Amino acid sequence: MIIEKVTGHTYGEEIRRRLVRPLHLHDTFVPGRAPGIPGPHPRGYARPGPAAPLLDVTAVSPTIGGAAGELISSASDVNRFMAALLRGDLLRPAQQREMMRTRPTGGTDGRAYGLGLESSPLPCGGRFWGHTGDFLGFETATGITTRGRRVTVMANLGPGASDAQSDDIESAVKTALCGG
């Protein structure tokens, strides 16, 4: 709503103008009211209860999430976006510094959160920047080191997955960023 109020354009128009076109994100879409995912893609599933069977939710319109979920992208496009973001291609230097100024999350794992980015320690040393997200049928985590090593991991179950799924996704991100 802020994007639309400030620019006079829809969220989708601004995403396409500011990110999709300049970064050549060929597999990133703001689908509006169109249900489903264009092109080849995994199916998304939810488990509505502990003993319930899996429910295919792939065709749910992402507009129900608004700007918090109305975006479909591939792992390679997310990686391209994260690289551009950390290189400073998308924000002015002062905005970049502000986004990366973090506060501890309060946990014992050393994570800290800024304005839309989280900083986390790596088991091989150093830190990485990233973000997690979920939407009906999918859970995603992305990370990038300051040296440009990047990864995006996705699972196609949510909600209804165990905490182990989120832990495994986080472990996969850290393993990939450490070169394992």
Side-chain angles (χ1 to χ4, degrees):
M1 289 187 297
I2 293 172
I3 290 169
E4 292 176 2
K5 182 74 170 171
V6 169
T7 66
H9 302 118
T10 67
Y11 161 80
E13 289 169 324
E14 289 300 310
I15 291 295
R16 284 186 286 276
R17 183 176 72 82
R18 294 172 184 245
L19 301 173
V20 172
R21 286 187 206 111
L23 297 178
H24 307 287
L25 304 178
H26 302 294
D27 296 317
T28 299
F29 310 94
V30 182
R33 299 206 181 278
I37 302 171
H41 60 275
R43 313 246 5 124
Y45 297 93
R47 186 178 306 280
L54 292 177
L55 178 64
D56 187 335
V57 294
T58 307
V60 170
S61 174
T63 58
I64 64 171
E70 189 186 358
L71 189 67
I72 297 170
S73 193
S74 67
S76 59
D77 276 6
V78 172
N79 287 342
R80 187 175 297 121
F81 165 77
M82 289 297 286
L85 183 63
L86 254 60
R87 269 194 318 264
D89 295 349
L90 301 176
L91 300 172
R92 292 184 200 107
Q95 293 171 317
Q96 182 92 7
R97 282 190 303 276
E98 190 64 26
M99 179 185 66
M100 297 176 81
R101 190 172 61 163
T102 61
R103 303 270 190 272
T105 60
T108 59
D109 57 5
R111 292 183 306 161
Y113 200 77
L115 296 175
L117 276 181
E118 185 175 68
S119 172
S120 299
L122 285 167
C124 56
R127 300 184 74 77
F128 75 95
W129 293 93
H131 202 281
T132 60
D134 55 67
F135 187 74
L136 284 174
F138 300 95
E139 182 178 352
T140 305
T142 187
I144 183 170
T145 66
T146 54
R147 293 190 170 169
R149 188 173 187 100
R150 55 195 186 255
V151 65
T152 297
V153 178
M154 185 274 297
N156 61 333
L157 174 60
S162 67
D163 289 343
Q165 176 175 292
S166 296
D167 294 344
D168 288 347
I169 289 171
E170 180 180 340
S171 178
V173 167
K174 289 179 178 180
T175 298
L177 293 176
C178 283

